[in-house]
Amino acid sequence: MKILLFVAALALTLPGARAAAPTTEGLTAEVETLCAKGKYADAAKKAMIAVKTARTEYGTNDARWIGVLANVAHVYELSGDRVLAASNYATVLGAIERIKGAESPEAVDAITHLAGLYRSAERFADAERLASRVVSVREKVSGAEHADTATAL
C-alpha cells in the first residue's frame, strides 16, 4: 500500500503530470483572497472561471450556481464598476427567478440590491421600477399591512 501511494505521489511530480482541475470551491476562495488584496481585475477573471467550472460541477439549475454568479457581480461592485455589476446582478436575478421563483425571498433580496445599485449609479428610473416590483411582490406574498411591505416603500 505504501509503495502505491509513493508511486502515485511520484507520478504527480513528473514533468507532464496533470494537476487536478480547479474546483468551484477552490476558485471561490481564490476570488475572496484576491478581493481582500484589492486585486479586482484578477478576481474577476477567477470568478468567471469559477462560473464555467460551476456550470460543469453543478449545472445551471442548481442553487449553488447562483452564488457563483453573484460573486462575479460582487467583484465588479467592489471594484466600482457599477455598469458591469448591475449587468451581472441582473443575470443573477434571472437565475434566481428561474430556479427559485420570481416571488421567492431570494428574488426580492436580489431585486432590492439591484435597485440600490441603480440608485447609487443615478439610474433612478430603473431603481424606481425595481422598487415598485418589490412592493408589489411583498404585498402579494405578505399583505399590504405587513411590516416587510411597509419597509419596502
Side-chain angles (χ1 to χ4, degrees), residues 29 38 40 58-59 61:
Y40 301 117
Y58 310 142
N61 291 321

Side-chain angles (χ1 to χ4, degrees), residues 6-52:
F6 175 75
V7 171
L10 181 63
L12 289 175
T13 62
L14 294 174
R18 292 207 278 166
T23 64
T24 302
E25 195 173 292
L27 289 164
T28 300
E30 288 183 55
V31 169
E32 290 172 7
T33 300
L34 289 166
C35 282
K37 294 178 180 178
K39 297 182 177 184
Y40 301 117
D42 293 337
K45 289 175 189 171
K46 283 284 185 195
M48 292 303 297
I49 295 168
V51 167
K52 291 177 184 173

Side-chain angles (χ1 to χ4, degrees), residues 47-71:
M48 292 303 297
I49 295 168
V51 167
K52 291 177 184 173
T53 303
R55 186 178 296 129
T56 302
E57 279 184 36
Y58 310 142
T60 58
N61 291 321
D62 189 301
R64 293 174 292 180
W65 191 63
I66 296 168
V68 179
L69 285 174
N71 283 343

Side-chain angles (χ1 to χ4, degrees), residues 35 38-41 44 72-82 84-85:
C35 282
K39 297 182 177 184
Y40 301 117
V72 176
H74 186 65
V75 168
Y76 287 125
E77 186 174 10
L78 289 173
S79 74
D81 190 333
R82 291 185 179 117
L84 281 174

Side-chain angles (χ1 to χ4, degrees), residues 113-132:
H113 187 84
L114 185 55
L117 186 59
Y118 284 159
R119 267 192 305 280
S120 71
E122 298 183 0
R123 292 177 56 181
F124 300 117
D126 291 327
E128 185 176 334
R129 178 182 50 81
L130 290 178
S132 295

